[in-house]
């Protein structure tokens, strides 16, 4: 593929930092190397000496003085080599990307998948560009896109994700013979959350993914596969991903450890074509340098947590990691089922919903109410129940929206039941 269309002038102007290159060369060099190049602080002056991290299974991860010094020092912008190597092997096992064997696939570590998304958008989009997505969608994505001055085009979706027929109809306003011509206005990218979408809980079927990918090939646009809930699918086998179908190298995939290891560690990954990942890494060099400081209070670098996760993953192996995922999924399955049970108990006469196949959310349409914003923002607190009004997930948040998003991740089944009892009373009073 020719990626020049997908790299805007700002991204194309980025050059590798000589200091960052030297830092990464030094980290790959033997201990006998004497370097007078690095501007890094001397780790002997840091107040931290060692640490021991206890795991729930009774094991512990030890940071002796040598490892602690490394953990508190600068690291490569693309990520710690050990962690990247482990994650690349995992991606190949889970997705078997068709481009992996041709050395065209690359990966980098980001501060949560949100950083990866933002840097991908800022690499690709120029003001006035057309971008495709299926709203309602993650509010953080809309917050990242809107300041870039692009035209966000909404593609209708349902409980099974983006509707390919609707996407085809939208794309029909552009001529296929204009694909590849300079200055055409064909959308450059399509963004979607394929599993357990936030806020809808929708999961795209395999057949729909194939149809969407074919349209991406026909009209030559990229697919940003934002998949933070991939590991929270409630049924196996897990759905094939866009990355697993990507014969061209037109998929940028973002993954996150936030839902399965820790949200506070801020660890995410971007996987995709090497020419595009390289541009994202150049942006990281010029902004955060590498995955950034974990807590301002202690001054520890995020690097310690990447080392922590690396040690954990290496100890577990892929089998241990996937066993952990199974236990996480089972927890959320019980939470989902508890919320569905309470919804059946309290909300059948005032709302409707679909069972989510992945994720953390139930997308509830309130009957008889055109817009839930006032219901939630003004009246819900009086009943001591709080949900998210659906309008915040729309491209135009001022448009009336009859939906609310309920998360089943934190509250106990008893709290969920009480919350829906209160919501029922609130809706009854408001209709």
């Amino acid at each position: 593929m020719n990626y020049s269309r997908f790299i805007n002038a700002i991204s194309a102007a980025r050059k590798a930092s000589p200091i960052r290159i030297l830092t990464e060369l030094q980290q790959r060099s033997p201990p006998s190397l004497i370097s007078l190049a690095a501007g890094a602080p001397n780790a002997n002056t840091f107040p931290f000496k060692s640490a021991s991290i206890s795991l729930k299974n009774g094991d512990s991860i030890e940071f002796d003085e040598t490892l602690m010094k490394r953990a508190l020092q600068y690291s490569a912008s693309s990520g710690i080599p050990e962690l990247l190597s482990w994650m690349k092997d995992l991606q190949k096992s889970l997705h078997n990307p068709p481009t992996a064997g041709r050395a065209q696939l690359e990966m980098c570590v980001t501060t949560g998948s949100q950083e990866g998304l933002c840097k991908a958008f800022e690499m690709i989009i120029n003001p006035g560009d057309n971008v495709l997505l299926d709203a309602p969608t993650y509010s953080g994505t809309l917050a990242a896109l809107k300041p870039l001055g692009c035209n966000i085009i909404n593609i209708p979706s349902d409980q099974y994700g983006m509707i390919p027929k609707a996407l085809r109809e939208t794309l029909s306003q552009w001529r296929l013979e204009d694909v590849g011509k300079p200055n055409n206005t064909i959308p450059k990218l399509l963004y979607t959350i394929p599993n357990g979408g936030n806020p809808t809980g929708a999961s795209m079927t395999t057949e729909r993914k194939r149809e969407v990918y074919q349209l991406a090939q026909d009209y030559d646009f990229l697919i940003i596969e934002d998949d933070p809930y991939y590991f929270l699918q409630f049924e196996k086998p897990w759905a094939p991903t866009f990355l697993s179908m990507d014969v061209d190298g037109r998929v940028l995939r973002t993954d996150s450890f936030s839902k399965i290891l820790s949200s506070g560690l801020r660890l995410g990954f971007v996987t995709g074509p090497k020419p595009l990942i390289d541009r994202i890494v150049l942006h990281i060099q010029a902004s955060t340098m590498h995955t950034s400081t974990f807590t301002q209070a202690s001054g520890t670098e995020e690097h310690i947590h990447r080392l922590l996760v690396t040690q954990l993953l290496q100890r577990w192996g892929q089998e241990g990691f996937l066993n952990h995922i199974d236990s996480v999924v089972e927890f959320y399955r019980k939470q989902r089922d508890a919320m569905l049970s309470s919804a059946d108990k309290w909300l059948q006469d005032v709302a409707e919903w679909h069972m989510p196949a992945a994720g953390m959310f139930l997308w509830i349409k309130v009957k008889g109410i055109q817009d839930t914003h006032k219901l939630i923002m003004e009246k819900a607190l009086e009943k001591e129940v709080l949900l998210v009004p659906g309008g915040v997930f729309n491209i135009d948040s001022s448009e009336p929206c009859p939906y609310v998003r309920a998360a089943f991740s934190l509250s106990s089944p008893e709290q969920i039941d009480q919350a829906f009892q209160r919501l029922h009373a609130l809706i009854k009073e408001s209709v």
Side-chain angles (χ1 to χ4, degrees):
M1 281 184 62
N2 180 1
Y3 293 103
S4 59
R5 175 172 178 251
F6 307 114
I7 299 173
N8 60 28
I10 293 175
S11 184
R14 297 191 189 281
K15 304 298 180 184
S17 163
I19 300 298
R20 290 269 80 204
I21 292 174
L22 287 172
T23 298
E24 294 172 19
L25 282 174
Q26 179 179 337
Q27 291 175 347
R28 294 197 300 267
S29 299
S32 56
L33 174 77
I34 299 174
S35 173
L36 303 180
N42 193 309
N44 290 322
T45 67
F46 298 161
F48 309 100
K49 184 176 181 179
S50 62
S52 178
I53 310 295
S54 299
L55 303 179
K56 288 182 176 180
N57 65 1
D59 291 343
S60 63
I61 294 175
E62 305 295 332
F63 287 82
D64 61 19
E65 192 167 352
T66 300
L67 187 57
M68 182 64 86
K69 286 179 180 179
R70 182 190 173 197
L72 297 177
Q73 194 54 273
Y74 292 130
S75 64
S77 295
S78 58
I80 292 174
E82 301 97 313
L83 181 57
L84 282 172
S85 176
W86 200 97
M87 285 303 302
K88 285 177 181 178
D89 287 342
L90 180 68
Q91 296 293 64
K92 290 176 183 177
S93 295
L94 294 176
H95 310 290
N96 191 26
T99 57
R102 303 200 296 268
Q104 296 176 347
L105 196 68
E106 192 52 88
M107 173 182 279
C108 67
V109 179
T110 56
T111 305
S113 58
Q114 181 75 21
E115 184 191 23
L117 287 175
C118 288
K119 284 180 165 50
F121 292 150
E122 292 167 12
M123 168 183 65
I124 299 167
I125 296 172
N126 288 305
D129 282 349
N130 294 309
V131 174
L132 305 164
L133 56 74
D134 47 339
T137 193
Y138 173 47
S139 57
T141 295
L142 297 175
L145 284 173
K146 287 181 178 179
L148 300 180
C150 56
N151 302 315
I152 303 175
I153 302 172
N154 188 24
I155 307 300
S157 59
D158 57 22
Q159 70 185 96
Y160 303 112
M162 183 179 290
I163 301 172
K165 181 180 178 182
L167 175 60
R168 187 177 294 104
E169 290 174 354
T170 298
L171 290 169
S172 66
Q173 63 187 285
W174 291 279
R175 301 187 309 167
L176 283 171
E177 51 264 37
D178 290 337
V179 172
K181 291 182 178 179
N183 302 317
N184 72 67
T185 62
I186 297 172
K188 289 182 177 179
L189 70 88
L190 177 147
Y191 168 89
T192 191
I193 306 174
N195 293 295
N198 181 4
T200 65
S203 294
M204 195 182 299
T205 65
T206 302
E207 184 55 38
R208 287 191 178 187
K209 287 176 186 173
R210 290 196 181 101
E211 292 184 58
V212 169
Y213 189 85
Q214 181 63 57
L215 289 168
Q217 290 181 302
D218 294 343
Y219 286 90
D220 191 29
F221 57 79
L222 300 178
I223 296 173
I224 294 187
E225 181 176 34
D226 183 17
D227 212 356
Y229 305 102
Y230 173 77
F231 292 112
L232 297 187
Q233 297 180 72
F234 300 123
E235 301 297 333
K236 288 186 177 180
W238 289 337
T241 59
F242 281 113
L243 184 64
S244 72
M245 305 174 184
D246 188 22
V247 295
D248 296 341
R250 63 176 66 253
V251 173
L252 277 171
R253 176 180 172 82
T254 60
D255 286 282
S256 173
F257 276 167
S258 293
K259 312 301 185 290
I260 53 174
L261 292 184
S262 165
S263 51
L265 292 182
R266 306 309 301 135
L267 270 177
F269 303 88
V270 184
T271 308
K274 188 178 188 306
L276 300 183
I277 299 297
D278 287 348
R279 306 315 299 182
I280 292 174
V281 172
L282 290 180
H283 194 170
I284 293 172
Q285 287 184 1
S287 55
T288 56
M289 293 210 318
H290 59 79
T291 304
S292 61
T293 303
F294 176 55
T295 61
Q296 293 182 18
S298 68
T300 47
E301 290 288 330
E302 176 69 23
H303 191 14
I304 187 172
H305 296 286
R306 287 194 275 160
L307 279 171
L308 172 64
V309 170
T310 300
Q311 289 198 63
L312 179 65
L313 295 176
Q314 289 176 339
R315 180 172 301 187
W316 274 350
Q318 287 191 20
E319 182 179 357
F321 173 73
L322 294 175
N323 287 339
H324 169 73
I325 297 301
D326 287 344
S327 68
V328 174
V329 170
E330 187 57 31
F331 171 81
Y332 285 114
R333 187 201 315 279
K334 291 178 180 177
Q335 291 289 104
R336 177 201 65 174
D337 292 347
M339 179 166 280
L340 290 171
S341 177
S342 292
D344 287 338
K345 178 180 176 182
W346 294 109
L347 302 180
Q348 280 198 1
D349 61 331
V350 295
E352 55 189 50
W353 57 89
H354 297 290
M355 181 177 72
M360 297 178 171
F361 308 112
L362 188 64
W363 187 236
I364 302 170
K365 183 178 182 180
V366 180
K367 299 176 182 177
I369 293 181
Q370 187 179 11
D371 187 18
T372 58
H373 186 270
K374 185 175 181 180
L375 178 78
I376 298 300
M377 303 305 291
E378 297 182 14
K379 299 180 180 180
L381 286 179
E382 298 175 7
K383 294 290 185 183
E384 296 185 316
V385 61
L386 194 61
L387 300 92
V388 183
V392 304
F393 303 103
N394 287 331
I395 297 170
D396 182 356
S397 60
S398 65
E399 289 182 356
C401 179
Y403 288 87
V404 294
R405 190 196 74 178
F408 49 80
S409 54
L410 293 177
S411 300
S412 68
E414 293 76 20
Q415 290 173 321
I416 290 171
D417 192 71
Q418 191 171 14
F420 277 1
Q421 182 181 9
R422 294 173 181 177
L423 179 61
H424 178 269
L426 175 62
I427 296 171
K428 280 292 192 181
E429 290 176 11
S430 302
V431 174

